[in-house]
Every structure is written in C-alpha cells, then in structure tokens.
Amino acid sequence: MSDRMEDSAILRAQGLAVGYDGAPLVSGIDLAVAAHGVVTLVGPNGAGKSTLLKTVAGLLAPVGGAVWLSGRPLEQLDPHERALELSVMLTDRLRTELLTCADVVEMGRYPHTGRMGVPTSTDLAKVREAMQTTRVWDLRDKDFMQLSDGQRQRVMLARAICQEPRLLVLDEPTSYLDVHYQIELLAVLRELVETRGVGVLMSLHELPLVWKVSDWVVCMKDGVITAQGTPQEMCAPEVIDELFDLEPGTFDPLTGMIDLRK
C-alpha cells in the first residue's frame, strides 16, 4: 500500500485473517483505505472478497490480525460508533414490509436521530439529497419491494450515503445495473470521494470499470492477496491472467474484450 494511504488511513488492516468458525479463508491481509480514495477488491468468485468486507465492517469477527477504524481498534467501537464512521452496502437482499423507498433511505439516518429515532427537518433534507444524488427521488413514494433489482441497488446506495460516513464499504455495488447506471453509480462514488473526502472499499467484477474508478486495486485468490497496487500496475495482462487462470491473450483487461478464437 502507498505511504499516502497508510498515513491518512480511515481503515487499516494488518496481518488480518478472515473466515468462519475460526477457520481462515483469507490470511495475511495488509491494506489501508484513505480519505479521498477508492480501494477495489478483484478476484474470482470464492476468493473471500465478501468475507473480507464483512469483517472490516464489523459484521464478522477476525480470525486473526487487527483492524483499525479512524485510529481505533475496530473491536473497541460499539455499533453506534461504527455507524458514525462507516456505512455498508452488501449483496444481501433487504426484505421490507410496506416501506417506501424514502423510508428505506431514512433508515440510514439512525446514527444521527438520537434515542427517539425521530427524524428532524435536517435528516429529511439529507434523505432527499441522497436520493437525488443516486437519481431515485422520483421513486420516494414507491414500495421498495416493488422495484427492479437495479432500482433497489440505487436506493440502497442512497441509504448508505444518507448515513454520512467517513467510509463506504460496498460489495459489488454495480450488480443488477445496466451499463448506464453502472457508470452513473461509480461517478457518484468518485464525486463523494473527491468533494466530501469519503473513503471507499468495495469489490467489483467489471475490470474496465475497476481501472477507471479506483485509486488502489487489491487482487485476491486462493486465500491470499496475490498483488496490490495502482490500477495501471494491476491491469497488466500477466497479473490478470494469473489472477483468473486465463490463457495468455484470452482477455484484454483494458477493454474487457475476450478472444474465443482457437
């Protein structure tokens, strides 16, 4: 990881091992996420990207090593303190009953609404701002469960933004989105990073988008981080061929083109 990322890290992991029931799935993880930075995890399915994200978000206990959030050991922060620092958007489907999209986004304000949980005019303004940012304000009165998968994804991003965290942790945020909304969502993330100083840690499968949106790329495979560096370094064909077990020349990581000719 770069010296700049280490020095200004919102999130830092050192010697981290993640997994389930005490059995490590990925070990030896060293990474940092800084303000004004996007760190993206890439790798084959089953590489442990989602498990890593859940662990640094405090949803799973580390198997080993340590995680610091804003300079404090993660395990020392209670759920409310964590919610003030980071917001999580996972691939798990949110199940709601009779909630509008605005209701769902408003849930992101819970760290700020006090014990009674009653939103103020400021909270409601933040809800509107977040929904306008992700282009879902026109869906505010719609039943969340009646939306398409792509619309739900944008509403969930609005909820994460509405929380006003220092760090966004996102698991495949472009899933279910067509190309137009993939680009729009990642443009929103870059805007948050550049104008509000938010840090982003996420996983993505669309490699051409990874190179465009990221400041740092972490490659994961077979229980370890195989490489990490700038997008320019990690988009080298030999890195991608090794990461995904591809024959040389099969895949152009810059364009996303696949050559199936024999």
Side-chain angles (χ1 to χ4, degrees):
M1 70 193 80
S2 70
D3 292 339
R4 183 188 67 81
M5 291 171 60
E6 183 71 34
D7 292 342
S8 60
I10 301 170
L11 177 81
R12 185 162 56 90
Q14 187 171 7
L16 181 65
V18 302
Y20 299 90
D21 300 321
L25 178 62
V26 187
S27 302
I29 301 167
D30 294 321
L31 63 82
V33 184
H36 297 281
V38 176
V39 176
T40 305
L41 310 177
V42 298
N45 290 335
K49 301 185 295 295
S50 295
T51 306
L52 171 56
L53 293 175
K54 290 177 181 179
T55 302
V56 299
L59 303 177
L60 289 174
V63 175
V67 180
W68 291 268
L69 183 60
S70 294
R72 296 176 60 190
L74 184 64
E75 69 273 11
Q76 293 184 8
L77 277 68
D78 63 34
H80 180 262
E81 290 173 318
R82 282 202 306 270
L84 291 172
E85 295 289 337
L86 68 82
S87 184
V88 185
M89 178 178 157
L90 302 177
T91 53
D92 301 337
R93 302 291 185 87
L94 177 68
R95 307 299 300 182
T96 67
E97 294 294 337
L98 303 177
L99 289 182
T100 67
C101 295
D103 293 332
V104 171
V105 176
E106 189 180 304
M107 292 164 61
R109 294 301 298 168
Y110 78 92
H112 306 278
T113 54
R115 274 196 245 176
M116 301 301 293
V118 178
T120 65
S121 59
T122 298
D123 294 315
L124 296 178
K126 295 293 184 181
V127 169
R128 177 169 185 155
E129 179 185 357
M131 296 186 77
Q132 289 176 329
T133 296
T134 61
R135 313 294 192 268
V136 292
W137 179 242
D138 60 321
L139 302 175
R140 58 191 178 277
D141 296 323
K142 299 285 187 181
D143 185 331
F144 178 76
M145 295 306 298
Q146 300 303 313
L147 301 184
S148 69
D149 286 336
Q151 289 171 325
R152 290 188 203 179
Q153 199 81 334
R154 289 186 287 138
V155 170
M156 293 303 293
L157 179 60
R159 187 178 78 159
I161 293 171
C162 188
Q163 196 171 319
E164 293 190 296
R166 297 186 65 210
L167 176 70
L168 283 168
V169 177
L170 312 171
D171 193 6
E172 298 182 28
T174 54
S175 295
Y176 315 117
L177 299 181
D178 61 30
V179 172
H180 172 82
Y181 285 120
Q182 286 180 349
I183 295 170
E184 191 170 82
L185 183 147
L186 295 178
V188 167
L189 291 181
R190 283 298 334 173
E191 181 181 354
L192 292 171
V193 166
E194 292 166 10
T195 64
R196 302 190 191 181
V198 173
V200 174
L201 174 64
M202 65 179 171
S203 61
L204 280 181
H205 279 299
E206 300 85 358
L207 292 180
L209 297 180
V210 171
W211 316 137
K212 295 295 185 182
V213 74
S214 308
D215 297 296
W216 194 257
V217 178
V218 179
C219 300
M220 298 176 62
K221 177 186 176 184
D222 295 335
V224 296
I225 290 178
T226 58
Q228 57 179 308
T230 66
Q232 293 77 16
E233 294 167 337
M234 294 300 98
C235 75
E238 59 271 18
V239 175
I240 300 303
D241 291 345
E242 168 65 22
L243 184 62
F244 292 100
D245 294 323
L246 300 176
E247 291 292 329
T250 300
F251 179 71
D252 184 339
L254 289 177
T255 65
M257 299 296 291
I258 299 172
D259 187 356
L260 298 178
R261 294 170 299 177
K262 300 297 184 182

